[in-house]
Amino acid sequence: MKERVMSSLSTRPPAYWRPVPAETMASADIALARAEWQETVFDARPNRVALLQLQPSWPLRKLRISVLRNHAVEPVITALRPFLAYAGLAADITLSGYDDSLSAPPQLDADAHIVWLDPSRYAAADQRSAGGALSARLRELRTVLQGPLLLVDASQSLAGASLLNNALHDAASWMPDVFVFPYALLTAPLANAGVETRPSAMGTHVSGGAALLTAQQLGLRWIPALIRPRLKAVIVDLDETIVGGVLSEDGVAGVITSGPYTALREQLLRLHEQGVLLALVTKNDARDVESLFAERADLAQLRGALVALEAGWHDKSASVVRVAERLRIGMDTVLVFDDNPAEVAAMAAALHGPWFVVARTPSISARALELHPGLLSLRDDALAGARSADLVAGEQRDAETRSAAEPLQYLHTLRMEAQLSVGTAGDRARLSELSRKTNQFNTALARLSETDVERYMSSSDRRVVSIRLRDRLSDSGLIGAVFARRDDDTVIVDEIAISCRALGRSIERALLGAALSRIASELGGARVVIPFTPGPRNAPAGAWLSTVAAAPDGGTRYVYADGVDGPSDGQHSPVAVAWEC
Amino acid sequence: MARDPLRERVAAVVSVVLGERALPQDGAETGWDSLQQIEVVLAIEDEFAVTIAEADIPRLCSVDDVMAHLHGVRASF
């Protein structure tokens, strides 16, 4: 096969590659303009010409992607741009030459790297030694490349696919920021149509149909997931969105819940199991809505998964705000589904933050729930679904605390237990997630990757402490992290991150006191310094710092004094702290 | 010159695929390299619901070539 030289596709941008200043376009216009793309980008059988005609009119964030490959991936890359644009991204993509040995990554400091090998090109070689060499090379690449690596696995119909796929999945199982894109699984339904029958002319075994499905998945789900935190909640409308018809007109017995609405609910429940919070906001009489859920058995499971329900005739924007406040999440982590474009425009104009889908049909909504940027979880998280239960418990906790005559005494009755541990490899993904997703109690907003977290686990002059929390109402899981390093005689606390689910229980002082005391003891510094980076929402972290540390420079660098020798209020704290070794 | 709907459709597809690299109006000039040719072939296959044989791909170097090929595989084009 003819070798092709390294190329950068950014040198020939399509017409829509032009920056749009954010201030020139209102949020409502953006929400409605994105909605016009839904049918095309979420199509189960995307059409190349229709895709390439799409031109975004909203601002795009630029990023750099490096592709290390040994075959023609251009059919995918050229279809990627509209999907990325829907996600608000514009990629400068650099391709390697056809590089069987993965010896020349085209861009070491790209925001993300894709490795895509056609195993049949190794068919003449000793497959076992090729598999071993690939594993070794992936280890080397992980050390020299910045940014996450996405390894594309191979269709089982290709010679050598099993060995390649084994090496890729092994790498992703233990290397930080390394993930496998399941090309084989994605294209399996295409059967023979997924395999290009003209590989010599097209330079690849990826068929045109497979290329479009791959571009759709990469652009909408995988690349956004590599570079942005996951969305936390999906808020859905009721009428003509998760049920057919209008409750106030058709009545409890008249709304449609079968057919495509069943698939839509199943998709919502899948997201719930993966840790996405579900809420309902509807302009309906609250009693009618409760009657609907009580009387229609096929809606019972969904009702159980909803962590918030706002029904009434008031403004929907206000309802969405109330839901976000109850869930303690930022508006930019919310995806809203509503069938009414006017309501979407009104909410977008008022809220400036959420993502929106205009729920024109239940099938489009189901596809959007499957494909929308921000909903993919890159790592399996067995405890993700438990976070919804923890949030519900949190509401009970908050309500009981508010109504208690002695709130601190009430907190003691919760029998809170915290388990602290010096971070281990099993916590790596969750610790990175905490750093990237917490906004309220986050001292530095460092947004640490798995690779960064690994450095705190493996270096003798660094430490990371994991904090787990449970009480009589729920097991909150791993809710806190402290990252620190020794610099001369000083321990620098690079970041403290605590999940919003654990806030409001008067436990920060005891937990962080214990963690900082242990870190100071192990690293041996004479003093502990906690830099603080003010952000839009991390005032709670700054407020806590000001109670336990002095800031001689006026608030960006705190010298911690409280409880270096142990938590000062340990005997009064409502939480029992224990170390796991 | 009489309007030719097929030519307009093929030219539109090529224009969409190549963006700012679109062909001159007469369509006779070779306007794409081998990688762009792959893009054009995939888009033509999508748009016209045809499969272009491997041996024919290298011959598709212009809008005229594409039109001739389409006429060859289906007279109704």
Side-chain angles (χ1 to χ4, degrees):
Chain A
M1 190 179 292
K2 191 174 81 176
E3 295 296 316
R4 287 177 172 129
V5 295
M6 184 187 301
S7 62
S8 172
L9 295 180
S10 64
T11 57
R12 47 186 181 85
Y16 65 74
W17 189 287
R18 53 175 183 265
V20 179
E23 62 274 17
T24 63
M25 197 164 187
S27 300
D29 295 333
I30 292 174
L32 295 180
R34 287 181 79 251
E36 291 304 310
W37 285 33
Q38 291 173 183
E39 277 75 3
T40 308
V41 297
F42 296 139
D43 197 334
R45 293 177 60 87
N47 178 279
R48 183 173 289 270
V49 175
L51 285 165
L52 295 181
Q53 286 177 299
L54 296 175
Q55 297 190 14
S57 53
W58 51 86
L60 304 178
R61 173 186 158 188
K62 283 202 168 189
L63 74 156
R64 294 172 304 150
I65 297 174
S66 156
V67 182
L68 196 45
R69 50 79 184 260
N70 70 350
H71 61 118
V73 298
E74 285 82 353
V76 174
I77 301 300
T78 51
L80 194 52
R81 298 182 190 282
F83 295 116
L84 284 173
Y86 183 82
L89 302 170
D92 186 349
I93 301 172
T94 309
L95 307 180
S96 74
Y98 287 2
D99 182 2
D100 288 330
S101 61
L102 302 179
S103 59
Q107 205 172 31
L108 299 182
D109 61 347
D111 298 298
H113 304 266
I114 296 172
V115 177
W116 196 346
L117 297 174
D118 181 337
S120 65
R121 284 177 57 99
Y122 303 98
D126 174 0
Q127 292 285 333
R128 290 199 180 280
S129 71
L134 176 61
S135 295
R137 185 59 190 142
L138 289 172
R139 274 196 298 275
E140 291 166 7
L141 285 174
R142 180 60 291 174
T143 61
V144 299
L145 298 179
Q146 295 177 26
L149 269 72
L150 187 60
L151 315 176
V152 181
D153 74 8
S155 165
Q156 290 295 341
S157 63
L158 297 181
S162 293
L163 275 169
L164 172 77
N165 293 348
N166 288 344
L168 301 184
H169 284 276
D170 176 64
S173 71
W174 65 273
M175 287 187 204
D177 293 312
V178 176
F179 310 95
V180 173
F181 178 83
Y183 176 86
L185 186 67
L186 170 69
T187 57
L190 295 176
N192 291 339
V195 181
E196 177 57 64
T197 55
R198 306 155 296 183
S200 296
M202 305 301 272
T204 181
H205 285 100
V206 178
S207 73
L212 289 175
L213 287 180
T214 304
Q216 185 180 51
Q217 289 278 336
L218 283 173
L220 293 178
R221 303 182 77 207
W222 288 80
I223 291 173
L226 291 174
I227 62 163
R228 283 200 299 233
R230 195 177 179 213
L231 296 177
K232 293 178 178 174
V234 170
I235 299 177
V236 291
D237 181 25
L238 179 69
D239 295 330
E240 300 289 13
T241 302
I242 60 165
V243 299
V246 177
L247 179 60
S248 62
E249 296 172 5
D250 301 315
V252 168
V255 297
I256 301 164
T257 57
S258 57
Y261 293 101
T262 304
L264 174 58
R265 282 198 305 281
E266 288 171 352
Q267 194 62 40
L268 281 167
L269 291 169
R270 266 194 288 276
L271 286 172
H272 165 67
E273 288 165 9
Q274 294 163 6
V276 175
L277 305 170
L278 302 181
L280 182 92
V281 165
T282 176
K283 281 187 173 173
N284 266 299
D285 188 287
R287 286 165 301 184
D288 291 347
V289 176
E290 288 300 349
S291 296
L292 174 71
F293 281 112
E295 294 174 32
R296 296 292 290 262
D298 47 358
L299 296 178
Q301 202 177 358
L302 178 62
R303 179 66 188 95
L306 294 174
V307 292
L309 193 160
E310 288 274 338
W313 299 102
H314 32 262
D315 176 52
K316 274 191 175 171
S317 306
S319 297
V320 171
V321 169
R322 272 195 297 278
V323 169
E325 286 175 351
R326 281 174 62 189
L327 303 182
R328 299 176 180 171
I329 58 177
M331 205 56 79
D332 57 348
T333 66
V334 171
L335 172 61
V336 179
F337 282 70
D338 196 303
D339 68 302
N340 186 339
E343 292 277 21
V344 166
M347 284 188 276
L351 299 176
H352 300 290
W355 296 81
F356 292 95
V357 168
V358 175
R360 291 199 180 97
T361 69
S363 55
I364 281 290
S365 295
R367 294 283 299 164
L369 286 169
E370 183 186 343
L371 292 168
H372 196 282
L375 294 176
L376 174 68
S377 175
L378 289 171
R379 298 274 190 221
D380 290 336
D381 182 354
L383 296 175
R387 290 189 198 115
S388 292
D390 191 38
L391 265 167
V392 173
E395 294 207 322
Q396 182 183 345
R397 221 179 269 121
D398 289 347
E400 291 177 1
T401 305
R402 279 195 300 272
S403 62
E406 295 289 343
L408 186 60
Q409 204 167 6
Y410 165 74
L411 291 173
H412 278 276
T413 69
L414 290 173
R415 298 194 297 276
M416 286 186 278
E417 296 173 4
Q419 188 172 53
L420 278 59
S421 59
V422 176
T424 54
D427 289 346
R428 187 175 57 206
R430 174 63 183 151
L431 289 168
S432 170
E433 185 181 50
L434 270 174
S435 173
R436 287 182 292 114
K437 288 177 73 172
T438 53
N439 293 307
Q440 297 178 57
F441 204 107
N442 188 310
T443 54
L445 304 173
R447 307 310 190 200
L448 300 171
S449 67
E450 290 184 11
T451 307
D452 298 327
V453 173
E454 178 70 22
R455 205 169 297 129
Y456 287 92
M457 292 176 167
S458 58
S459 302
S460 61
D461 61 347
R462 290 173 185 252
R463 288 291 184 280
V464 52
V465 169
S466 305
I467 303 171
R468 289 178 167 78
L469 182 66
R470 61 189 298 171
D471 67 10
R472 65 176 168 80
L473 295 179
S474 68
D475 184 344
S476 301
L478 206 173
I479 50 82
V482 181
F483 302 90
R485 66 189 151 86
R486 168 94 184 252
D487 185 6
D488 287 333
D489 66 340
T490 301
V491 173
I492 307 287
V493 181
D494 288 325
E495 182 156 274
I496 300 172
I498 297 181
S499 164
C500 58
R501 288 179 291 112
L503 300 180
R505 303 194 220 175
S506 301
I507 55 176
E508 296 87 348
R509 193 165 191 157
L511 298 185
L512 298 178
L516 293 171
S517 174
R518 171 80 172 252
I519 288 171
S521 165
E522 290 196 4
L523 293 180
R527 60 182 190 147
V528 176
V529 169
I530 310 174
F532 178 67
T533 304
R537 297 205 296 274
N538 67 344
W544 172 78
L545 271 174
S546 66
T547 65
V548 297
D553 69 348
T556 58
R557 197 173 162 84
Y558 287 82
V559 179
Y560 181 75
D562 183 79
V564 170
D565 299 321
S568 61
D569 66 344
Q571 67 274 35
H572 304 299
S573 169
V575 61
V577 177
W579 283 90
E580 185 183 297
C581 73
Chain B
M1 187 187 288
R3 207 171 145 262
D4 183 342
L6 179 62
R7 170 177 290 281
E8 287 176 8
R9 200 169 155 202
V10 171
V13 170
V14 171
S15 176
V16 164
V17 171
L18 301 183
E20 292 169 354
R21 307 158 287 164
L23 291 178
Q25 282 301 308
D26 64 9
E29 185 178 324
T30 298
W32 48 71
D33 63 24
S34 59
L35 284 176
Q36 293 163 356
Q37 189 169 35
I38 292 174
E39 294 177 59
V40 170
V41 165
L42 291 172
I44 292 290
E45 288 183 329
D46 255 19
E47 180 67 14
F48 293 94
V50 296
T51 301
I52 299 171
E54 185 159 24
D56 293 331
I57 292 174
R59 298 187 196 119
L60 304 182
C61 299
S62 69
V63 170
D64 284 343
D65 294 339
V66 174
M67 289 178 58
H69 178 82
L70 292 174
H71 279 306
V73 296
R74 203 183 299 171
S76 58
F77 278 127

